[in-house]
Amino acid sequence: MPLTSIHHYLIRSSDIERSRAFYQDVLGMHQMPRPDFPFPGYWLGVGQEAQVHLAPSSVDNASLYFIGSPSDAATENSGVIDHVAFLAHDPESVMRHLEQQGVAFRPRYMAQSKLFQLFVRDPDGVMVELNFFGIESDMQWVGEDYNAMPRVN
């Protein structure tokens, strides 16, 4: 039973409307149909795939609904996830869009993989990685170079 791709991740958001706006306005996702769960939330996606689920950080009976995170997950805990990554295209356009939205980003580049990355944080502090493959290294905006980083032996 091999895995093929990420299906979704759920964020218990401290401000669900602010998070919804980030994923829609900054990352270009749209709202997807969502079942009638017993708690409020959003499903956001690209194309026909729901990729980000948002739920409020604190609701009555939270321990029944959110079995993967403690009650203080949205305010006191970043959990064990370091980041969530999405494939993307047209990095120059994405960077312009992030700048227009006032969203800080951190660029990185790995020449051997022709991989350019942008890292942004969502309103709840989740690190979101945008991966752009097939990018040549002669660009002026490649950011941090993985090859120049110290190695762990």
Side-chain angles (χ1 to χ4, degrees):
M1 173 171 71
L3 300 178
T4 59
S5 64
I6 187 171
H7 181 263
H8 75 272
Y9 63 98
L10 182 138
I11 297 170
R12 291 179 61 189
S13 176
S14 60
D15 183 336
I16 194 168
E17 292 304 323
R18 189 176 76 181
S19 293
R20 180 202 50 75
F22 173 85
Y23 283 93
Q24 283 189 259
D25 300 341
V26 175
L27 296 184
M29 293 183 173
H30 60 272
Q31 288 187 41
M32 305 290 295
R34 180 179 178 267
D36 186 21
F37 289 113
F39 57 91
Y42 294 104
W43 282 11
L44 304 167
V46 177
Q48 297 302 311
E49 300 296 322
Q51 298 175 358
V52 177
H53 295 181
L54 297 175
S57 62
S58 59
V59 294
D60 290 341
N61 301 312
S63 63
L64 293 174
Y65 313 134
F66 311 121
I67 60 174
S69 55
S71 61
D72 63 355
T75 57
E76 302 296 329
N77 187 357
S78 63
V80 296
I81 295 174
D82 181 75
H83 67 272
V84 176
F86 295 99
L87 294 176
H89 65 279
D90 194 4
E92 290 176 283
S93 173
V94 171
M95 285 187 294
R96 280 192 305 272
H97 178 70
L98 293 173
E99 288 169 349
Q100 291 168 350
Q101 294 287 320
V103 174
F105 58 87
R106 185 173 179 170
R108 284 191 172 173
Y109 187 68
M110 181 177 284
Q112 68 196 41
S113 299
K114 296 183 182 178
L115 171 62
F116 178 68
Q117 300 173 305
L118 294 173
F119 293 87
V120 300
R121 287 205 184 271
D122 84 352
D124 290 292
V126 175
M127 183 63 73
V128 177
E129 174 184 313
L130 304 176
N131 286 320
F132 305 84
F133 284 96
I135 305 298
E136 296 296 330
S137 64
D138 60 351
M139 299 177 318
Q140 298 300 312
W141 40 267
V142 295
E144 299 170 332
D145 181 355
Y146 275 104
N147 293 327
M149 292 179 180
R151 297 247 173 230
V152 177
N153 296 323

